[in-house]
Amino acid sequence: MREKIARMPLREPPLNAVRAFAAAARHLSFTRAALELHVTHSAVSRQIKSLEEFLGIALFERRIRQVALTAEGQQFFAEVQPALAQINAAARALQSQGPARAVRINVRPSFAVRWLIPRLPSFVERFPEIEPQVVTSTVMPEEAIGSFDIAVRRGLEGWPSSMEVQPFLEDEVLVVGAPALFKTHPLPDLRALASHVLLSARTRKDDWDAWKKQVGAPRARPAGRLQFDHLHFVLQAAVDGLGIALAPTSLVSHDLASGRLQSPLPTLRMTLERYYYGLAPDAAPEAGYVAEWFEEMQARQAA
């Protein structure tokens, strides 16, 4: 399939199929996606199948009564969701027959998928006249200056000297895994870590060693290790029951609240560098409203 598509002339992906995929990925349900798009379940299924054939790769794992994103599907969703939001924003700007009041929010992909996008509806509801454009990037703000109005990053390194940054979310990591995994392989104490596969991200590969040292975990070889390129792949792997992960509380609050993930050792946490946000020197005035919204979200988390 990959070789066949690689030889085909370059063409644009079917937009309707991309919209169907984004809706299904957001809900993790073809049925709910169909309700959102006002089409049938089979129509959504056909659109997603056509997109997978176009890309030559599986975007979903089909399971009994549920679907889950593959690692490639998670990556694709992280890129297309902001793009679709930007298309919708452009359409609204033309419909209003006035200048677009857009604000570009630059965040890392994991933060976009796990923190920003799930909360973005509340911003849109409060500020319907502002069009948030989510820009995902892994580079430091000083390397991306000129491509955003407001940016969020962990820590104080890599910010341009021309930007005044503000403290944002405090954060910790804790052990998480799928409820079904803990039913078959309980984790009542630190000694049981040896029976689990440890999941980690290439960008945070030392977290397990640092956490074990802090909490006084016994030295023991784990049942296995799996490493992924990005943290959102790690969290998806944890949801799918591939192992246990050390997850930032900022990025798994929705998963813990919904029961998709559980924390068997909730008191054994390790503090992470907090998040900061900064407005670019030439930021659009609307960026101030995003900063205001960030402050409200921070207050809710602390409450």
Side-chain angles (χ1 to χ4, degrees):
M1 176 68 76
R2 292 177 182 269
E3 294 180 358
K4 180 179 178 182
I5 289 179
R7 291 194 296 268
M8 293 176 65
L10 183 64
R11 55 191 176 92
E12 296 180 352
L15 185 57
N16 283 339
V18 173
R19 290 180 63 242
F21 161 76
R26 190 164 52 252
H27 296 292
L28 288 178
S29 167
F30 287 9
T31 300
R32 292 181 182 177
L35 291 173
E36 176 184 321
L37 300 173
H38 304 289
V39 297
T40 64
H41 179 284
S42 60
V44 170
S45 182
R46 287 195 302 270
Q47 290 279 16
I48 293 175
K49 183 178 180 181
S50 70
L51 181 60
E52 289 176 326
E53 291 176 348
F54 175 88
L55 297 173
I57 201 163
L59 299 172
F60 285 97
E61 294 178 6
R62 276 75 166 175
R63 303 174 179 176
I64 299 176
R65 297 183 181 178
Q66 65 176 351
V67 294
L69 286 166
T70 63
E72 292 82 0
Q74 187 80 11
Q75 183 178 11
F76 192 55
F77 178 61
E79 297 291 337
V80 303
Q81 180 70 3
L84 289 175
Q86 187 169 350
I87 291 173
N88 291 334
R92 288 195 301 270
L94 290 177
Q95 289 174 340
S96 65
Q97 297 183 352
R101 298 181 59 188
V103 57
R104 299 165 298 170
I105 309 172
N106 186 297
V107 295
R108 292 181 64 90
S110 297
F111 191 86
V113 173
R114 294 281 175 171
W115 191 93
L116 181 58
I117 291 175
R119 293 168 174 80
L120 205 54
S122 70
F123 177 85
V124 174
E125 181 179 1
R126 180 171 177 181
F127 302 103
E129 72 283 2
I130 299 177
E131 301 159 2
Q133 299 177 357
V134 180
V135 181
T136 59
S137 173
T138 59
V139 303
M140 294 296 187
E142 63 185 0
E143 300 176 46
I145 195 71
S147 64
F148 65 85
D149 296 298
I150 186 169
V152 178
R153 288 295 187 278
R154 195 186 293 280
L156 288 170
E157 294 184 3
W159 292 93
S161 58
S162 58
M163 290 180 63
E164 180 179 350
V165 298
Q166 300 295 331
F168 189 22
L169 302 173
E170 295 183 337
D171 212 0
E172 301 171 301
V173 292
L174 75 170
V175 177
V176 298
L181 176 65
F182 294 135
K183 286 182 180 179
T184 58
H185 294 80
L187 185 53
D189 52 44
L190 292 173
R191 290 174 298 176
L193 284 171
S195 65
H196 285 271
V197 175
L198 306 185
L199 308 175
S200 62
R202 178 176 51 82
T203 53
R204 304 197 63 87
K205 58 185 179 181
D206 297 326
D207 277 0
W208 276 112
D209 290 338
W211 177 83
K212 286 181 177 181
K213 182 177 180 180
Q214 178 172 307
V215 302
R219 293 185 178 182
R221 184 184 299 273
R225 290 180 180 269
L226 288 175
Q227 189 177 103
F228 299 84
D229 282 344
H230 301 290
L231 183 58
H232 50 271
F233 297 162
V234 173
L235 299 181
Q236 186 61 49
V239 169
D240 290 338
L242 291 178
I244 59 175
L246 278 178
T249 56
S250 62
L251 304 186
V252 293
S253 57
H254 277 65
D255 296 291
L256 293 172
S258 68
R260 295 176 68 199
L261 290 174
Q262 289 182 350
S263 179
L265 304 169
T267 62
L268 300 181
R269 304 187 177 202
M270 181 177 70
T271 301
L272 294 174
E273 282 189 296
R274 74 182 303 162
Y275 284 101
Y276 292 81
Y277 72 83
L279 276 67
D282 59 347
E286 289 73 22
Y289 294 107
V290 178
E292 176 185 332
W293 179 68
F294 279 167
E295 295 291 343
E296 292 180 3
M297 295 296 103
Q298 179 181 11
R300 290 185 188 180
Q301 177 172 305

